[in-house]
Amino acid sequence: MALVPPIEYDEAAPGVRAIYDDIRATRDVDWINNFWKVLANDPATLARVWTSVKGVMAPGAIDALTKEMIYVAVSVTNNCEYCIHSHTAGARAKGMTAPMFHELLAVVALANETNRLANGYRIDVDERFRDPAPR
Amino acid sequence: MALVPPIEYDEAAPGVRAIYDDIRATRDVDWINNFWKVLANDPATLARVWTSVKGVMAPGAIDALTKEMIYVAVSVTNNCEYCIHSHTAGARAKGMTAPMFHELLAVVALANETNRLANGYRIDVDERFRDPAPR
Amino acid sequence: MALVPPIEYDEAAPGVRAIYDDIRATRDVDWINNFWKVLANDPATLARVWTSVKGVMAPGAIDALTKEMIYVAVSVTNNCEYCIHSHTAGARAKGMTAPMFHELLAVVALANETNRLANGYRIDVDERFRDPAPR
Amino acid sequence: MALVPPIEYDEAAPGVRAIYDDIRATRDVDWINNFWKVLANDPATLARVWTSVKGVMAPGAIDALTKEMIYVAVSVTNNCEYCIHSHTAGARAKGMTAPMFHELLAVVALANETNRLANGYRIDVDERFRDPAPR
Amino acid sequence: MALVPPIEYDEAAPGVRAIYDDIRATRDVDWINNFWKVLANDPATLARVWTSVKGVMAPGAIDALTKEMIYVAVSVTNNCEYCIHSHTAGARAKGMTAPMFHELLAVVALANETNRLANGYRIDVDERFRDPAPR
Amino acid sequence: MALVPPIEYDEAAPGVRAIYDDIRATRDVDWINNFWKVLANDPATLARVWTSVKGVMAPGAIDALTKEMIYVAVSVTNNCEYCIHSHTAGARAKGMTAPMFHELLAVVALANETNRLANGYRIDVDERFRDPAPR
């Protein structure tokens, strides 16, 4: 059970309700998941985080499905149970197939392995890799 | 300086040299980066990890560029300096533009934030998210 | 279920019982929480960790409530379910209000986000920040 | 060297410059640290993150110094070198003394230790701790 | 419930069944644990990871029990519930006694503490420690 | 450069000097490494941590070399540069050979990989693994 109770639509203050409406409209869904209902206990955080998620996760230079898979990659690395479930569901809704899901986890797992080899052996960054990132 | 010295092509044993050749051929590059030259101190690990990387990172249900970006996402979350540099370079070589790189880091950072909100509030996973993953 | 059974007061050896007594007296509570009852399976660790907690968490240059909130910040970052519950309860008992709890989690989450931006972009530490810490 | 170059005030676009001005005014400082100068390569992230930091770190139910110390706690746990330096400097500017800094690190370190004891032994959360958080 | 269903021996494809047989023969057990039954949804990952585990965990310069304890140390640090259970059971089957288990967790916890002291104070590596690792 | 200066033997207060003497005697070395010299800025932490390290790392049910390797495993997983160097040196001094070092890192890396597969797929713990740990 969450440390604070989820706030349902009917009991929400108008400001929170407006955000719930925006979440449903933006995502074209008819419900609000627990993440937002719990954040609603702190309307400032709810508003700030929803604005961030809405902006960052919108398709841009990277498409929405790839962004969801990146989200899953981070959530698996950090072991966030809630986020693994919610963003796997999100990626699936955006078109992630079963073979894509398996490959996603395989890449995440392998990266966690080689991260430790690189850090454990204290491997020096090759000069050729130090060029600035793409412009 | 790495905890063990990198092994250059000319001083490598035949088995290591064969893997170096395969790395260069597979990636169509004319050099070997430090990661492999350090792993070469332990030929069993070199062979095993190269086989894994070659298989997992090949384009499949997910394309090679997306896989590199997922690798960067994990490496940033874990703070692996070497891996951030090498896989950012890898993603760039495969077509990641500057706007894509910025969006990638924005998603990674935001996921790290919301992971802690979900874990900190101990938010319960919605039943609707618990369906099995895509087949 | 824990990997080893909790040891209740009545079944505890005298040395363990003395530590339980000290925990209850120091904290002015009438019960022992599972953390200590499980550690009691290894009396050396129980004694060492209790001595550490008693010393480190006592009010000093930083007050006891702030220390509990710092504890929550670490526990949320690491996703220690037990510690999030126990130290949120501890902070609450020492005066943490609901608005404080929300702000605490907001800071923790934001720090986790900006940590990845700083690490992901490999941002150089400003020289002005490198002065030694306060004396 | 950062993966993208820092953008100095004189070369910044008007929108970025306005944020730089706001950072300096809000913090009453006469310079901009590298974190913001690197984020400026992605004006959307710069704006979003600065808005978040400005809002979250302002004194509220928790004072500004305590918030900085919580930021240090997270940054040490995650090993973000940049953030440890910048937020230690920030806490120091807000009044953190040397004894406070030492106690802060002692609490952070101890929490990291007991987090692993709780997770390693898989200790069950006491029912008494499961009450909802403070209202 | 896992995100994909475990695949039982009787319903497994011949290639998966062959790996299950090898797992049972190698470990001299009469059952297959959930880890492999879930991975079997992705036969390529099943084959790759089993090959890695079989090779890496075999006794070599380090004995099999010590390897299991190292596995527990990593799993506790990362808070992988499944892995803590499975590798604690594995270590126990190979001879880990209760006092060894307690000492293992004590070392893991302490290392997590001192890791943060070293990182938090940004302690410089002593020159004497920078010698290459053992040959 | 560390956030606080190392304190050399000649400038140390008697209480700190006594701990330095005990470190040298216990380890049979003629110098003090930076970790302790930095902690000496906070004599309470120096005393507490040294007591813990002295007690926990002494040979017991697990030998001293294995304990050092477990320490390396945690430090690599957390990416503590200082600790990787110091405890690799410590393990080497106690008899870790090059093949052992390579196997150690291979196990650590693999565990980090499989931890994410178990967490990512949310694999259920097998009932057979839930038995209490060894007594």
Side-chain angles (χ1 to χ4, degrees):
Chain A
M1 203 176 63
L3 286 170
V4 294
I7 293 181
E8 301 298 334
Y9 188 90
D10 291 343
E11 54 179 330
V16 166
R17 207 176 281 192
I19 292 172
Y20 284 4
D21 288 338
D22 192 36
I23 291 171
R24 296 199 291 201
T26 301
R27 298 184 160 177
D28 194 20
V29 293
D30 62 356
W31 64 298
I32 297 293
N33 54 304
N34 286 340
F35 182 75
W36 306 110
K37 291 196 284 193
V38 166
L39 287 200
N41 287 274
D42 180 13
T45 292
L46 174 69
R48 184 176 67 77
V49 173
W50 167 243
T51 300
S52 289
V53 168
K54 188 180 178 181
V56 170
M57 297 303 283
I62 299 177
D63 64 276
L65 169 55
T66 300
K67 287 184 174 183
E68 287 288 355
M69 292 194 297
I70 292 166
Y71 227 104
V72 173
V74 171
S75 304
V76 168
T77 300
N78 286 330
N79 192 21
C80 177
E81 181 181 11
Y82 186 89
C83 315
I84 292 170
H85 279 282
S86 61
H87 289 280
T88 296
R92 189 188 184 189
K94 289 184 178 63
M96 181 175 71
T97 62
M100 291 171 76
F101 179 61
H102 293 311
E103 290 192 14
L104 168 58
L105 290 190
V107 174
V108 168
L110 185 62
N112 271 287
E113 175 167 36
T114 60
N115 280 194
R116 269 60 182 208
L117 289 170
N119 283 340
Y121 281 115
R122 316 299 315 156
I123 302 178
D124 299 293
V125 179
D126 304 80
E127 280 310 309
R128 297 207 203 185
F129 287 152
R130 288 197 177 275
D131 291 335
R135 313 291 163 102
Chain B
M1 205 177 63
L3 286 170
V4 294
I7 294 180
E8 302 298 334
Y9 188 89
D10 290 344
E11 54 179 330
V16 167
R17 208 177 278 191
I19 292 173
Y20 285 4
D21 287 337
D22 192 36
I23 292 171
R24 295 200 292 202
T26 301
R27 297 184 161 178
D28 193 20
V29 294
D30 62 356
W31 64 298
I32 297 293
N33 53 304
N34 285 339
F35 182 76
W36 306 110
K37 291 196 285 193
V38 167
L39 288 200
N41 288 275
D42 179 13
T45 291
L46 175 68
R48 183 177 66 79
V49 174
W50 168 242
T51 300
S52 290
V53 168
K54 188 180 179 180
V56 171
M57 297 302 284
I62 299 177
D63 64 276
L65 169 54
T66 299
K67 287 184 174 181
E68 287 287 353
M69 291 195 296
I70 291 165
Y71 227 104
V72 172
V74 171
S75 304
V76 167
T77 299
N78 285 330
N79 193 21
C80 177
E81 182 181 12
Y82 187 87
C83 316
I84 293 170
H85 279 283
S86 61
H87 290 280
T88 297
R92 190 189 183 188
K94 290 183 179 61
M96 180 176 71
T97 63
M100 291 171 75
F101 179 60
H102 293 311
E103 290 192 13
L104 168 58
L105 290 191
V107 174
V108 169
L110 185 62
N112 272 286
E113 175 168 36
T114 60
N115 278 193
R116 269 62 183 205
L117 289 171
N119 283 340
Y121 282 114
R122 313 303 313 158
I123 301 178
D124 299 293
V125 178
D126 304 79
E127 280 309 310
R128 296 206 203 187
F129 287 152
R130 285 196 179 277
D131 291 334
R135 310 291 163 103
Chain C
M1 204 178 61
L3 286 169
V4 293
I7 294 181
E8 301 299 333
Y9 189 89
D10 291 344
E11 53 180 330
V16 167
R17 206 176 282 192
I19 292 173
Y20 284 4
D21 288 337
D22 191 35
I23 291 171
R24 295 200 291 200
T26 301
R27 298 184 159 178
D28 194 20
V29 293
D30 63 356
W31 63 298
I32 296 294
N33 54 303
N34 285 339
F35 183 75
W36 306 111
K37 290 195 286 193
V38 167
L39 288 200
N41 286 276
D42 180 13
T45 292
L46 174 68
R48 184 177 66 78
V49 174
W50 166 242
T51 300
S52 289
V53 168
K54 186 178 179 182
V56 170
M57 297 303 283
I62 299 179
D63 63 276
L65 169 55
T66 299
K67 287 184 175 181
E68 287 287 354
M69 292 194 297
I70 292 166
Y71 227 104
V72 172
V74 171
S75 304
V76 168
T77 298
N78 286 330
N79 193 21
C80 176
E81 182 181 10
Y82 187 88
C83 315
I84 292 171
H85 278 283
S86 61
H87 289 280
T88 296
R92 189 188 184 189
K94 290 183 178 63
M96 181 175 72
T97 63
M100 292 170 75
F101 179 60
H102 293 311
E103 290 192 14
L104 168 58
L105 290 190
V107 174
V108 168
L110 184 62
N112 272 287
E113 175 168 37
T114 60
N115 279 193
R116 270 60 183 206
L117 290 171
N119 283 342
Y121 281 115
R122 314 301 313 155
I123 302 177
D124 299 293
V125 178
D126 304 80
E127 280 310 309
R128 297 205 201 187
F129 287 152
R130 287 196 178 275
D131 291 336
R135 311 292 162 102
Chain D
M1 204 178 62
L3 286 170
V4 295
I7 294 181
E8 301 297 334
Y9 188 91
D10 291 344
E11 54 179 330
V16 166
R17 207 176 282 191
I19 292 172
Y20 285 4
D21 289 338
D22 192 36
I23 292 171
R24 296 199 291 202
T26 301
R27 297 185 160 177
D28 194 21
V29 294
D30 63 356
W31 64 298
I32 297 293
N33 55 303
N34 285 340
F35 182 75
W36 306 109
K37 291 196 285 194
V38 166
L39 288 199
N41 287 274
D42 180 12
T45 292
L46 175 68
R48 184 176 65 79
V49 174
W50 167 242
T51 300
S52 289
V53 168
K54 188 180 177 180
V56 170
M57 297 304 283
I62 299 177
D63 64 277
L65 169 54
T66 299
K67 286 184 174 180
E68 287 288 352
M69 292 195 297
I70 292 166
Y71 226 104
V72 172
V74 172
S75 304
V76 167
T77 299
N78 286 329
N79 193 20
C80 177
E81 181 181 11
Y82 186 88
C83 316
I84 292 169
H85 278 284
S86 61
H87 289 280
T88 297
R92 189 189 183 189
K94 289 183 179 63
M96 181 176 71
T97 62
M100 291 171 75
F101 180 60
H102 293 310
E103 291 191 13
L104 168 59
L105 290 190
V107 174
V108 168
L110 184 63
N112 272 287
E113 176 168 34
T114 60
N115 279 194
R116 269 62 182 205
L117 290 170
N119 283 340
Y121 281 114
R122 315 300 315 156
I123 302 177
D124 299 293
V125 177
D126 304 80
E127 280 309 310
R128 298 206 202 186
F129 287 153
R130 286 196 178 274
D131 292 335
R135 312 289 163 102
Chain E
M1 203 177 63
L3 286 169
V4 294
I7 295 180
E8 301 298 334
Y9 188 89
D10 290 343
E11 54 179 331
V16 166
R17 208 176 281 192
I19 293 172
Y20 285 4
D21 288 338
D22 192 35
I23 292 171
R24 295 200 291 201
T26 302
R27 297 184 161 178
D28 194 19
V29 293
D30 62 356
W31 64 298
I32 297 293
N33 55 304
N34 285 340
F35 182 75
W36 306 110
K37 291 196 284 192
V38 166
L39 287 200
N41 288 273
D42 179 13
T45 292
L46 174 67
R48 184 177 66 78
V49 174
W50 168 243
T51 301
S52 289
V53 168
K54 188 179 178 180
V56 170
M57 298 303 284
I62 299 178
D63 64 277
L65 169 55
T66 299
K67 287 184 175 183
E68 287 287 354
M69 292 195 296
I70 292 165
Y71 227 103
V72 172
V74 171
S75 304
V76 167
T77 299
N78 286 330
N79 192 21
C80 177
E81 181 181 10
Y82 186 88
C83 317
I84 292 170
H85 279 283
S86 60
H87 289 280
T88 297
R92 190 187 182 189
K94 289 184 178 62
M96 180 176 71
T97 62
M100 290 171 77
F101 180 60
H102 293 310
E103 290 192 14
L104 168 58
L105 289 191
V107 173
V108 169
L110 184 62
N112 272 286
E113 175 167 37
T114 60
N115 278 195
R116 269 61 183 206
L117 290 170
N119 283 340
Y121 281 115
R122 314 302 312 157
I123 302 178
D124 300 292
V125 178
D126 304 80
E127 280 311 308
R128 296 206 203 186
F129 287 151
R130 287 196 179 276
D131 291 336
R135 312 291 163 102
Chain F
M1 204 177 62
L3 286 169
V4 294
I7 294 181
E8 301 297 335
Y9 188 90
D10 292 344
E11 52 179 331
V16 167
R17 208 177 279 191
I19 292 172
Y20 285 4
D21 287 339
D22 191 37
I23 292 171
R24 297 199 291 201
T26 302
R27 297 184 160 178
D28 194 20
V29 293
D30 62 357
W31 64 297
I32 297 293
N33 55 303
N34 285 339
F35 183 75
W36 306 110
K37 290 196 285 192
V38 166
L39 287 200
N41 287 274
D42 179 13
T45 292
L46 174 68
R48 183 176 67 78
V49 174
W50 168 242
T51 300
S52 290
V53 168
K54 188 179 178 180
V56 171
M57 298 302 284
I62 300 177
D63 64 277
L65 168 55
T66 299
K67 288 184 173 182
E68 287 288 353
M69 292 195 297
I70 292 166
Y71 226 105
V72 172
V74 172
S75 304
V76 167
T77 298
N78 286 329
N79 193 21
C80 176
E81 182 181 10
Y82 186 87
C83 316
I84 293 169
H85 279 283
S86 60
H87 289 279
T88 297
R92 189 188 184 188
K94 290 183 177 63
M96 180 176 72
T97 63
M100 291 171 75
F101 180 60
H102 293 310
E103 291 192 13
L104 167 59
L105 289 191
V107 174
V108 169
L110 184 62
N112 271 286
E113 176 168 35
T114 59
N115 279 193
R116 270 62 182 204
L117 290 170
N119 283 340
Y121 281 114
R122 316 300 315 156
I123 302 176
D124 299 293
V125 178
D126 304 79
E127 280 310 309
R128 296 208 203 185
F129 287 152
R130 286 195 179 276
D131 290 335
R135 312 290 164 102

